[in-house]
Amino acid sequence: EVQLTESGGGSVQAGGSLRLSCSVSPGFYFHTHNTGWYRQASADRCDQIARLNRDDTTEYDDSVKGRFTISRDRAKNLVYLQMDNLKPDDSGVYHCAAGGQIYYNCDLNAQYNLWGQGTRVTVSS
């Protein structure tokens, strides 16, 4: 069974920074797949925050442009999300996803792609 694991979440004050990491069980390689980070802010709100494709192109939600950076370390086989200048609206459970095709919709990713349990980020005012 291939498993994704997110880590690095925590509680910070507005303006602070966190770096989230996504790891995967042996035998799966991020650099040959599309990857993304998603924020479950509430029961009915789950957004794609950042995307890093296998060809190294990226895409960011407008709300995090200039503040968040998605990256991949091929040697370590890790995907990161560097989050700077955090705001209270950034709070939520952050999930990573990976697959041949990933979706904006969180539920579709959970059904058809690798999808981790998430790590919680809480940003206080």
Side-chain angles (χ1 to χ4, degrees):
E1 177 182 339
V2 180
Q3 181 177 330
L4 294 179
T5 303
E6 301 94 341
S7 62
S11 297
V12 298
Q13 294 188 31
S17 296
L18 287 171
R19 188 174 77 165
L20 308 184
S21 297
C22 182
S23 64
V24 68
S25 53
F28 184 94
Y29 301 97
F30 284 126
H31 72 273
T32 61
H33 295 82
N34 297 326
T35 59
W37 284 97
Y38 300 77
R39 181 180 64 232
Q40 184 80 54
S42 64
D44 58 356
R45 180 75 184 266
C46 188
D47 300 317
Q48 185 183 86
I49 299 303
R51 179 189 183 108
L52 173 59
N53 297 309
R54 62 174 64 88
D55 63 2
D56 293 329
T57 58
T58 59
E59 181 180 331
Y60 295 94
D61 185 82
D62 286 341
S63 67
V64 305
K65 286 182 179 177
R67 299 189 298 118
F68 290 11
T69 304
I70 187 171
S71 63
R72 176 181 61 238
D73 186 324
R74 183 170 175 171
K76 296 181 179 179
N77 199 27
L78 294 172
V79 174
Y80 300 105
L81 184 68
Q82 178 67 43
M83 304 186 295
D84 296 320
N85 191 24
L86 283 160
K87 304 177 184 297
D89 284 348
D90 296 323
S91 297
V93 178
Y94 282 73
H95 301 266
C96 65
Q101 177 181 334
I102 62 173
Y103 308 92
Y104 291 106
N105 183 279
C106 293
D107 289 338
L108 288 175
N109 285 308
Q111 288 180 253
Y112 299 113
N113 292 313
L114 297 182
W115 180 258
Q117 293 297 304
T119 184
R120 181 173 292 278
V121 172
T122 303
V123 184
S124 302
S125 300

